[in-house]
């Protein structure tokens, strides 16, 4: 019982929105709107999230973790190198002076924040990613794509729904 | 990086001492390398050498005539640095910059290394042969020898040589020397060079005597000065007053520097005597009579010094005794220089300083060792002899007359008239270039000699009546150039030509000296029973041989008759300014101009480096619209030079000053055509009595040449202003409590 | 008052126009590139000569050990800041008029930082030992001295450089995907495919993308501020009169944004012409940038006055002396030029007619940057030639041709990098312009019913400006 | 070492070095009870430049020549500065009381402005209270020079060892083997004749004794004809320099000396630019002038 | 979220490792001995024969018998040819050995032997033999072979000497940080100086 992929392209978000809403309300056998539906859009569009339902974002946790960890490690590192190279006595200054180390810690903090955030982004967004089974260059240009994954049986019903809402194009693909 | 050529020299590798002398900080290899460098070790080690540990050898400084006793610091067979010999009564282990530069005289890249006959390198035998056959044809009195100050055994050999030739023509010439002072002292005190006990005086009034800079024996005087300034000594801090038209280093350290009109020092001195009388000092009536015309008003009119100032000086002289009055170059360089000096000496007499701060020195027990001191009169005589074609063969040693003789004397042309001119030369200087035969001198650090300084001080506990000493000069290291020879060796070789059998015993000057010293070892303070070698080694390692000389007396010999001064002349219309050739502490008369340290160390007062300059009073400059750095053309009746202007507050408006010693043609890379040679433009005016060339008797006019340069000097744009930063602070003496100091 | 951007541009057209810039710019592009390269060549030559001979050839001297090299270092770091201003600060403020121009601004940030980093090497007396300053475990057991502001600089600049590079790249991913989809085969295709990381604009990607972009932007703002205040500590932490100034950190930051904005105006005008971006880099946007610049210019002017006033009333003779030196000393001409360019010329930006006049604004922006360059120099040289030690005061120091050559060379270097970037990557953010157009159109649709056309536009413009 | 060391010795690392560290037991404080210091009597200094030349001889200082000198490349670690009395108002100089000479050398500050700013730590504070300059560590950022209020640090603008006529053969044979010859791009300065103090301490150790006052002289002190310069160990109460500091009631780490507190106490010791608080190790004694003349 | 967790752990591991490595383990970089290159000397001087232990046919001569300056100078010094001859002229039985022949050739020519420098530290480093010998040989009287061995390794087993220790700055400091008793008598603890100025002038 193999899976089928469908990609429908639409002119604008309004149309796409209706399709999505319908798909979510419809109870088609072998198709789960929550997991099997992906919206591909040329621009970032917050409204999309309203109609495809809540999906959590985890990136900020990376940020928190990275910033704190690298910040504190940075301080430890700087301080202990100063302690280690103790023959560097500086007139009128302690071997491990706090103000400079604070400045550096600050930089480490930001460094960690940025790096780990981006790392988190790649992880959460699943990048770099393999080509998904169905893709159209139009999606990066001016059309909104709705890709669904469904059992063989469900395809006709889905196509029906797509067609009903004047899909510009419907691609079909046998899933791996 | 810069693996530069001397980075890997073998001489530094002796006994495993790596190339550290030239470890180029960043440029050395930063990683470990093995088996690249070679360590050559001795075949048989000299027992006193420990690598990386310095040996010190006592010797005598040859940079000027003061004869300071120094130590050479020797490492791995190279002399690195000169340091003072602490046991010396002259310099007490101290040194001046000039002396420090001695090593650069020794290591100088421009030294003469081979005998040169008519510009071509020859062997010593050829050179000596040449001399021999030239001497063959001439009579004794046709041979003349021009030297600088020369003393000790080299002088003995020189005299013997001249005697052997049957010549009496030994001219001792120093371009800058207190010759007039000697004459005046002889007349005034009975000795040529008394000891000036600056350290004993409470007040020193100096008429242009630059005793801290370039006068007789500066390092010694600096020592005395230090004691004189110590507020902790019983007499309290001494007061120094300086009368001179151009501020010297000494003037710069005076409590009061008085810019006096050039040539009127004598007037000032008599004026002071007069004023002292007014303050109630007892003055013999005849003298009082002789000076009564010199009222403060007139004196201040002649000298340009406000008479309150004169009275102040008189007052302090009266109140604080003993005092010491010094007459220096600035007072003597005139046609009436001797009168000036005598007038000044009279001050000492009336103040009763003679015997107190003017002490009698002992004279050397072996007169033949005593220094033949130089003066400028001898140059004039020598020049005259040359002009009259009296001399066929002439030798020059330790003097550079072609450079330092005024152009007006036409010395260069006269010098050519002699058919054979031999120069014992260290550098290829002007005289050497004019000579037919140039003989390369070993440097003072490679050579044996003995030195008897003209001015001897007495060490702690020494008998001030009889103490004199002789200093040793010994080699610090192997000769850099095998073909150079010491003056002693050369004279010996020449003597062997004349009197082979007398001197065949000595194969070199060392053996001669050795013999001569040991012969008189009893007179030199040893017991006849002592072992010769022990004595010799002890003597040489000490470097100083105390002798007990004949005591002399000093006394005031001057009478009113000696106090004749010419009337002060008015200003010269065509040449309104008075040129004062300055003898600076470092370059001196110019013989050391090729030592880069001296060129690079700034003149203390103007901070100018690497060039000569003319000091002009800001007022004068303002009148003529001269700015710093203008190239000024200075014209006298006998010549003219161009040099850069420096506005200098420490000079009398009627005078300008140019340092001597610059403007060499030849001599070496560091001296050649640096600055202008002021000797060349001096007027041929002579001291009436001594016949010495009067240094300051040249009137000049100055004009801007239109060019301007940026003066190369150490001081910044603030030009010696502290900009309210309180950096070098000064307090009046009465705010200082010396009882608290150590 | 016209609109920032036409709301009816078709998304497809946006793609076309921008992608065209990757293919066929105006010939002027090649001219600029050639000039830049040759200037860079000259600079390189000078640097090699200096490396061989020693720093002396730059005519620096002993009390006067710093001059244009450090000055340019600060100048270039400063220039980078406004890129962050546009891309990060305005992003957080949702000022969407920034969208067409922030990409090249961000690129400018990156490249000017790289140029600044060059000057570290140029400035060092022994650049071949520069690794001594890197904190890595080594057989010497020696570490750099963390107490030195120079090391803080290094740290800050490194962080800033890498962060803004990442920021630039992340923000570019969707556009790279567009390039990937529209490019025909060739090395570029491969490059874009690689760099796009298989972006497909799925909702999941967009979701995380938005969060990431926002977070990094939030980090970049304090970072940018810290970087230039740290650079200012090179002077503020030192002891010299005229350098040891409390107000330096904000002063430097303001100056940085100032010169950066000026630079943005120049580059704005250049790109607009070279890549035919009239549709996107529109005059209203220029006007906004100009206004922003003017505001910052006034901040900078104010801080200048504060500094002078503080010095004047502080009554430290040395400090005062330096100030007077600046005004009447040998550096006076440069000082007054700086004041003129920095505080007087900006008033030209108040003239409404001029705000959108390309030639005038171009000239003005160049003048502003000249002023800012001189400012950096005027911080260094007057102090060093007139500090606490009167004996060492010197007024003869004047940068040699070598030094100037290297400084100019750096401009060549920067322009080369920048121009190459704009040719290889889309210098206008396509997806964001689309968003801009889309949102504007939505908005005006809503507004249409309420009010007449003109009013809406007015209101939009105002909204955009804040 | 490392983190463990950091945590164990935290209090030591937080100790302010070296100013308040005399006699501190730590290995970071002055372990050798030595603090080299100097006293210069401006009333004795005659400005003759002997010290300066001696420094050239001792420390392998290059002679840069006229052209480079004019561009401020002079390398004199010890320079004699000549100041004039200024006539208030008129702005010109008066030579009536002669000139004021000030020998200026590295003040070996205890809270040295140059030390903290060096990016590679090429200049540090040594255990015997010197302000060290490590040539082969220096990368030539010149920050120390910029931050030095006395401007006594000298940068090698050119590569003097390979420059013509700086040390033409055989002059390089005079170079002192105890010191590096500095190549291009390196900062250098007076070291209080480190090589001499080192030798003195070395010999003292070998003979198992403390360093005596007579053991070591700096080149400038040794040559100074008027003995204006005193050098020695400040912590040794018998040493000349310590006695002088004591007599003048001069403290190392104050920004105002006794003579300023109370003008009538007859003292004349001070530090130059002391109000900047670098705590110099060189005490100057004011020049004195007679009032009755 | 599993992969995120994994990533967390990975990150923690990575950064702690790097941090600790940089701060702590750096010294370890230079501790292992590195044998220097073979060096061709003009005469393959057999150290083992002169300084080696009796059991390997050595004569156990004190290093400082030949390197006489070590105890009183910065440099240990290479023995002068005279020194070698001093003994060898009275050892006729080895006179015909090739090395000894070479030696005498030098002696007769009164030429110095151009030895290659084996333990050659950079030019700007000043290592003081005296200090180390005085401290360990005379004050702590440790056996001379051990004392010299600290830096020169086990020379007595070699024919031609080779560098046996890294001689890097880190390696020097690894020892200078250790505490040793000041002298045999006192229990006071001290360590080598850590001023850069001590070795770099």
């Amino acid at each position: 019982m193999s899976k089928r992929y469908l990609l429908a392209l639409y002119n604008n978000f309004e149309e796409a929105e209706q399709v999505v809403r319908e798909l979510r309300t419809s109870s088609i056998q072998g198709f789960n709107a929550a997991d099997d539906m992906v919206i591909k859009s040329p621009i970032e569009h917050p409204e999309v999230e309203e109609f495809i339902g809540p999906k959590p974002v985890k990136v900020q946790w990376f940020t928190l973790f990275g910033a704190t960890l690298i910040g504190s490690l940075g301080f430890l590192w700087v301080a202990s190198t100063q302690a280690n190279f103790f023959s560097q006595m500086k007139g009128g200054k302690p071997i491990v002076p706090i103000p400079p180390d604070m400045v550096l810690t600050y930089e480490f903090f930001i460094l960690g924040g940025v790096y780990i955030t981006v790392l988190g982004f790649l992880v959460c967004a699943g990048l770099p990613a393999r080509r998904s089974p169905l893709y159209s260059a139009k999606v990066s240009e001016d059309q909104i794509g709705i890709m669904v994954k469904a059992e063989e049986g469900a395809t006709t019903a889905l196509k029906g729904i797509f067609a009903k809402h004047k899909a510009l194009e419907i691609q079909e693909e046998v899933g791996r | 990086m810069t693996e530069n050529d001397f980075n890997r020299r073998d001489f530094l590798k002796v006994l495993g001492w790596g190339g550290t002398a030239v470890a180029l900080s960043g440029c050395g290899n930063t990683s470990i390398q093995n088996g690249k460098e070679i360590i050559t070790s001795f075949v048989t080690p000299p027992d006193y050498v420990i690598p990386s540990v310095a040996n010190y050898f006592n010797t005598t400084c040859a940079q000027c005539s003061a004869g300071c006793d120094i130590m050479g610091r020797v490492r791995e067979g190279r002399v690195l640095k000169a340091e003072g010999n602490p046991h010396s009564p002259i310099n007490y282990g101290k040194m001046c910059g000039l002396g420090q530069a001695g090593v650069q005289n020794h290591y100088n890249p421009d030294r003469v290394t081979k005998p040169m006959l008519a510009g071509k390198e020859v062997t010593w035998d050829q050179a000596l042969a040449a001399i021999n056959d030239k001497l063959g044809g001439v009579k004794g009195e046709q041979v003349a020898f021009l030297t600088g100050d020369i003393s000790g055994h080299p002088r003995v050999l020189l005299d013997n040589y001249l005697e052997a030739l049957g010549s009496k023509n030994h001219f001792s010439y120093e371009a800058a020397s207190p010759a007039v002072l000697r004459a005046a002292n002889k007349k005034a005190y009975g000795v040529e060079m008394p000891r000036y006990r600056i350290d004993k005086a409470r007040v020193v009034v100096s008429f242009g005597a630059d005793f801290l800079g370039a006068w007789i024996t500066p390092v010694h005087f600096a020592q005395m000065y230090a004691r004189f300034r110590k507020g902790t000594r019983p007499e309290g801090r001494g007061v120094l007053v300086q009368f001179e038209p151009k501020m010297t280093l000494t003037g710069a350290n005076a409590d009061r520097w008085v810019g006096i009109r050039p040539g009127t020092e004598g007037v000032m001195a008599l004026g002071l005597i007069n004023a002292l009388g007014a303050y109630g000092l007892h003055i013999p009536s005849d003298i009082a009579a002789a000076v009564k015309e010199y009222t403060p008003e007139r004196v201040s009119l002649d000298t340009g010094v406000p008479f309150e100032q004169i009275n102040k000086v008189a007052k302090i002289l009266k109140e604080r005794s003993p005092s010491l009055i010094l007459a220096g170059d600035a007072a003597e360089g005139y046609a009436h220089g001797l009168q000036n000096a005598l007038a000044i000496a009279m001050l000492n007499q009336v103040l009763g300083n003679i015997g107190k701060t003017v002490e009698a020195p002992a004279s050397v027990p072996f007169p033949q060792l005593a220094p033949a001191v130089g003066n400028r009169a001898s140059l004039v005589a020598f020049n005259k002899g040359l002009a009259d074609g009296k001399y066929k063969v002439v030798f020059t040693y330790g003097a550079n007359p072609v450079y330092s003789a005024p152009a007006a004397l036409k010395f260069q042309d006269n010098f050519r008239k002699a058919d054979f001119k031999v120069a014992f030369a260290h550098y290829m200087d002007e005289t050497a270039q004019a000579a037919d035969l140039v003989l390369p001198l070993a440097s003072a650090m490679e050579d044996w000699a003995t030195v008897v300084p003209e001015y001897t001080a007495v060490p702690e506990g020494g008998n001030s009546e009889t103490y004199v000493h002789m200093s040793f000069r010994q080699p610090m290291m192997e000769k850099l150039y095998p073909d150079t020879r010491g003056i002693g060796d050369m004279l010996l070789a020449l003597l062997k030509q004349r009197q082979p059998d007398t001197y065949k015993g000595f194969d070199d000057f060392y053996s001669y000296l050795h013999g001569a010293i040991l012969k008189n070892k009893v007179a030199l303070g040893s017991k006849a029973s002592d072992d010769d070698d022990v004595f010799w080694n002890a003597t040489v390692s000490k470097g100083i041989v105390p002798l007990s000389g004949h005591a002399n007396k000093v006394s005031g010999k001057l009478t009113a008759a000696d106090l004749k001064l010419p009337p002060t002349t008015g200003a010269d219309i065509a040449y309104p300014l008075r040129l004062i050739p300055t003898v600076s502490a470092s370059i001196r008369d110019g013989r050391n101009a090729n030592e880069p340290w001296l060129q690079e160390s700034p003149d203390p007062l103007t901070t100018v480096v690497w060039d000569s300059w003319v000091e002009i009073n800001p007022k004068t400059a303002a009148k003529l619209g001269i700015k710093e750095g203008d190239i000024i053309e200075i014209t006298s009746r006998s010549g003219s030079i161009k040099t850069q202007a420096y506005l200098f507050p420490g000079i009398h408006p009627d005078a300008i000053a140019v340092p001597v010693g610059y403007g060499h043609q030849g001599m070496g890379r560091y001296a050649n055509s640096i600055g202008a040679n002021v000797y060349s433009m001096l007027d041929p005016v002579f001291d009436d009595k001594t016949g010495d060339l009067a240094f300051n008797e040249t009137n000049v006019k100055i004009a801007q040449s239109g060019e301007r340069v940026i003066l190369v000097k150490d001081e910044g744009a603030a030009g010696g202003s502290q900009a309210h930063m309180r950096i070098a602070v000064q307090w009046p003496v009465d705010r200082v409590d010396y009882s608290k100091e150590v | 008052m016209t609109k920032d951007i036409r709301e009816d541009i078709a998304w497809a057209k946006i793609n076309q126009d921008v992608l065209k810039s990757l293919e066929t710019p105006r010939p002027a592009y090649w001219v600029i590139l050639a000039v830049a390269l040759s200037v860079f060549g000259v600079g390189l030559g000078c640097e090699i000569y200096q490396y061989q001979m020693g720093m002396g050839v730059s005519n620096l001297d002993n009390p006067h050990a710093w001059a244009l090299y450090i000055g340019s270092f600060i100048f270039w770091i400063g220039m980078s800041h406004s890129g962050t201003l546009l891309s990060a600060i305005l992003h957080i403020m949702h000022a969407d008029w920034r969208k067409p121009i922030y990409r090249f601004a961000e690129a400018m940030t990156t490249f000017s930082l790289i140029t600044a980093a060059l000057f570290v090497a140029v400035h060092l007396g022994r650049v071949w030992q520069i690794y001594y300053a890197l904190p890595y475990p080594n057989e010497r057991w020696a570490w750099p001295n963390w107490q030195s502001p120079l090391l803080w600089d290094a740290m800050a600049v490194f962080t800033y450089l890498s962060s803004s590079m990442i920021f630039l790249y992340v923000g570019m991913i969707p556009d790279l995907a567009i390039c990937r989809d529209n490019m025909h085969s060739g090395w570029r295709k491969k490059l874009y495919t690689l760099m796009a990381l298989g972006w497909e604009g799925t909702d999941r990607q967009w979701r995380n993308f938005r969060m990431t972009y926002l977070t990094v932007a939030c980090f970049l703002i304090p970072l940018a501020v810290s970087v230039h205040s740290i650079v200012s500590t090179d002077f503020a932490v030192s002891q010299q009169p005229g350098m040891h100034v409390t107000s330096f950190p904000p002063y430097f930051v303001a100056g940085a944004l100032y010169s950066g904005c000026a630079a943005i105006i120049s580059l704005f005008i250049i790109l607009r012409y070279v890549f035919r971006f009239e549709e996107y880099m529109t005059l209203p946007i220029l006007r906004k940038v100009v206004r922003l610049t003017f505001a910052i210019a006034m901040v900078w002017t104010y801080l200048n006055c504060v500094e002078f006033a503080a010095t004047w009333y502080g009554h430290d003779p040395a400090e005062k002396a330096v100030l007077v030196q600046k005004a009447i000393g040998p550096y006076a001409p440069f000082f007054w030029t700086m004041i003129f360019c920095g505080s007087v010329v900006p008033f030209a930006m108040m003239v409404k007619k001029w705000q959108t006049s390309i030639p005038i604004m171009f000239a003005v922006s160049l003048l502003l940057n000249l002023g800012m360059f001189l400012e950096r120099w005027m911080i260094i040289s007057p102090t060093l030639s007139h500090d606490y030690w009167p004996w060492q005061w010197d007024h003869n120091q004047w940068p040699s041709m070598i030094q100037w050559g290297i400084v100019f060379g750096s401009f060549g270097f920067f322009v080369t990098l920048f121009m190459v970037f704009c040719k290889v990557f889309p210098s206008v953010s396509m997806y964001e312009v689309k968003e801009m157009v889309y949102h504007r159109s939505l908005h005006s649709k809503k507004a249409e019913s309420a009010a007449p056309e003109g009013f809406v536009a007015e209101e939009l413009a105002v909204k955009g400006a804040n | 070492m490392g983190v463990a060391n950091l945590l164990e010795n935290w209090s030591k690392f937080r100790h302010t070095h070296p100013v308040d560290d005399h006699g501190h037991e730590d290995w970071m404080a002055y372990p050798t009870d030595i603090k080299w210091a100097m006293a210069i009597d401006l009333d004795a200094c005659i400005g003759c430049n002997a010290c300066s030349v001696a420094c050239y001889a001792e420390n392998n200082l290059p002679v840069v020549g006229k052209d480079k000198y004019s561009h401020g490349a002079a390398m004199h670690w010890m320079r004699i500065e000549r100041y004039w009395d200024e006539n208030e108002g008129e702005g010109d100089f008066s030579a009536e009381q002669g000139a004021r000479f000030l020998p200026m050398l590295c003040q070996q500050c205890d809270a040295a402005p140059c030390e903290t700013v060096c990016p590679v730590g090429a200049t540090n504070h040594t255990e015997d209270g010197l302000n060290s300059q490590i040539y082969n560590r220096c990368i030539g950022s010149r920050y120390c020079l910029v931050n030095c209020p006395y401007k006594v640090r000298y940068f090698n603008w050119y590569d003097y060892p390979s420059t013509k006529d700086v040390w033409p053969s055989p002059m390089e044979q005079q170079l002192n083997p105890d010191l590096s010859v500095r190549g291009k791009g390196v900062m250098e300065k007076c070291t209080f004749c480190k090589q001499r103090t080192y030798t003195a301490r070395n010999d003292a150790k070998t003979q198992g004794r403390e360093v005596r006052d007579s053991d070591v002289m700096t080149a400038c002190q040794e040559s100074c004809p008027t003995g204006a310069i005193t050098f020695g160990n400040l912590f040794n109460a018998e040493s000349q320099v310590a006695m002088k500091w004591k007599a003048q009631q001069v403290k190392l780490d104050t920004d105002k000396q006794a003579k300023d507190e109370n003008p009538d106490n007859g003292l004349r010791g001070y530090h130059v630019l002391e109000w900047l608080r670098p705590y110099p190790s060189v005490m100057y004694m004011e020049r004195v002038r007679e009032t009755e003349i | 979220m599993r992969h995120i967790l994994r990533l967390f752990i990975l990150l923690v591991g990575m950064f702690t490792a790097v941090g600790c490595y940089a701060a702590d383990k750096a010294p370890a970089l230079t501790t292992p001995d590195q044998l220097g290159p073979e060096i061709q000397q003009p005469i393959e001087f057999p150290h083992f024969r002169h300084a080696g232990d009796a059991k390997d046919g050595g004569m156990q001569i004190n290093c400082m018998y030949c390197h006489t300056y070590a105890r009183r100078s910065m440099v240990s010094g290479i023995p002068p040819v005279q020194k070698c001859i001093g003994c060898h002229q009275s050892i006729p039985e080895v006179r015909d050995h090739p090395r000894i022949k070479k030696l005498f050739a030098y002696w007769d020519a009164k030429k110095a032997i151009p030895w290659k420098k084996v333990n050659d530290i950079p030019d700007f480093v000043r290592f003081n033999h005296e200090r180390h010998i005085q401290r360990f040989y005379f004050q702590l009287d440790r056996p001379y072979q051990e004392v010299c061995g600290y830096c020169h390794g086990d020379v007595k087993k070699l024919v031609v000497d080779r560098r046996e220790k890294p001689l890097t700055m880190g390696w020097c400091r690894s020892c200078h940080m250790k505490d040793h008793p000041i002298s045999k008598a006192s229990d006071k603890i001290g360590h080598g100086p850590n001023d850069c100025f001590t070795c770099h002038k």
Side-chain angles (χ1 to χ4, degrees), chain B residues 16 67 98 121 173 201 270 305 312 316 335 349 439 500 552 561 702 737:
Chain B
L98 179 58
E121 289 190 355
Y173 160 58
L270 298 186
V305 179
K312 270 192 187 167
I316 204 164
Q349 190 170 326
L439 299 177
N552 292 318
I702 64 176
D737 176 0

Side-chain angles (χ1 to χ4, degrees), chain B residues 34-312:
Chain B
N34 306 104
K36 303 275 186 306
E37 296 189 10
I38 304 274
I39 323 166
T40 50
S41 96
F42 280 136
V43 178
T44 52
D47 47 7
Y48 57 86
V49 171
I50 301 178
S52 90
V53 178
N55 302 91
Y56 289 83
F57 294 101
N58 284 331
T59 182
T60 309
C61 182
Q63 290 289 89
C64 76
S65 313
C68 296
D69 303 291
I70 60 171
M71 307 186 292
R73 172 150 163 261
V74 180
R75 270 282 294 275
E76 287 96 43
R78 299 173 295 128
V79 53
L80 300 180
K81 187 173 181 298
E83 284 161 11
N85 176 351
H87 302 299
S88 164
I90 295 183
N91 56 320
Y92 299 90
K94 302 301 186 176
M95 276 189 87
C96 62
L98 179 58
Q100 293 279 352
V103 285
Q104 286 201 318
N105 175 281
H106 165 64
Y107 286 119
N108 202 293
D110 300 317
R111 279 175 59 179
V112 189
T113 58
K114 289 243 182 322
M116 310 259 277
L117 182 54
K120 285 188 301 299
E121 289 190 355
V122 292
T123 66
W124 271 100
D125 301 346
Q126 293 165 314
L128 292 172
I131 297 177
N132 201 8
D133 70 52
K134 290 289 177 188
L135 286 174
V138 299
K139 289 197 276 338
E141 63 270 17
Q142 291 177 317
V143 181
F145 225 109
L146 183 77
T147 69
D149 287 348
I150 183 170
S151 68
H153 289 83
R155 184 197 170 183
V156 174
L157 283 180
L158 176 58
D159 292 347
N160 296 358
Y161 183 53
L162 288 171
E163 193 182 348
L165 291 168
S167 159
K168 300 209 167 6
N169 313 323
H170 173 207
F171 301 95
S172 178
Y173 160 58
E174 284 288 326
S177 70
V180 177
L181 181 69
R182 294 194 191 103
N185 288 345
K186 189 86 188 147
K187 202 162 170 16
Y189 314 131
V191 295
E192 277 199 342
M193 193 50 73
R195 288 200 206 97
Y196 297 111
R197 296 304 302 271
I198 297 170
D199 56 329
K200 280 192 183 169
R202 295 182 64 198
V203 185
V204 170
V205 177
S206 154
F207 291 82
D210 183 12
F211 58 84
L212 295 178
W215 192 60
I216 302 177
T217 173
V219 180
H220 174 70
F221 286 141
Q223 293 276 315
M224 298 295 114
Y225 170 83
R227 298 182 196 170
F228 159 84
R229 283 299 204 193
K230 268 250 168 291
T232 48
R233 66 172 189 164
E235 299 89 345
R237 180 178 181 279
V239 181
L240 171 61
V241 181
Q242 186 91 353
F243 289 99
E244 59 192 0
K246 176 252 184 289
M247 179 186 279
T248 59
L249 192 55
T250 314
N253 288 284
D255 290 275
R256 179 63 60 181
W257 173 81
V258 186
I260 184 173
R261 178 169 297 124
T264 60
E265 290 81 0
V267 178
M268 175 55 75
L270 298 186
L272 279 174
I273 298 177
N274 193 1
L276 277 166
Y279 274 108
L281 181 83
H282 165 68
I283 315 250
S285 53
D286 56 339
I287 296 171
V291 301
K292 72 171 180 316
E293 76 205 67
Y294 293 94
T295 60
E297 292 70 15
R298 177 206 159 170
V299 173
S300 101
L301 198 67
D302 286 3
T303 61
V305 179
F307 67 81
E308 312 77 42
Q309 188 61 62
I310 302 170
N311 292 339
K312 270 192 187 167

Side-chain angles (χ1 to χ4, degrees), chain C residues 382-395:
Chain C
T383 292
L384 289 182
S385 63
H386 203 274
D387 61 7
Y388 281 118
W389 204 251
W391 188 256
Q392 285 286 312
W393 286 354
D394 78 335
H395 293 164

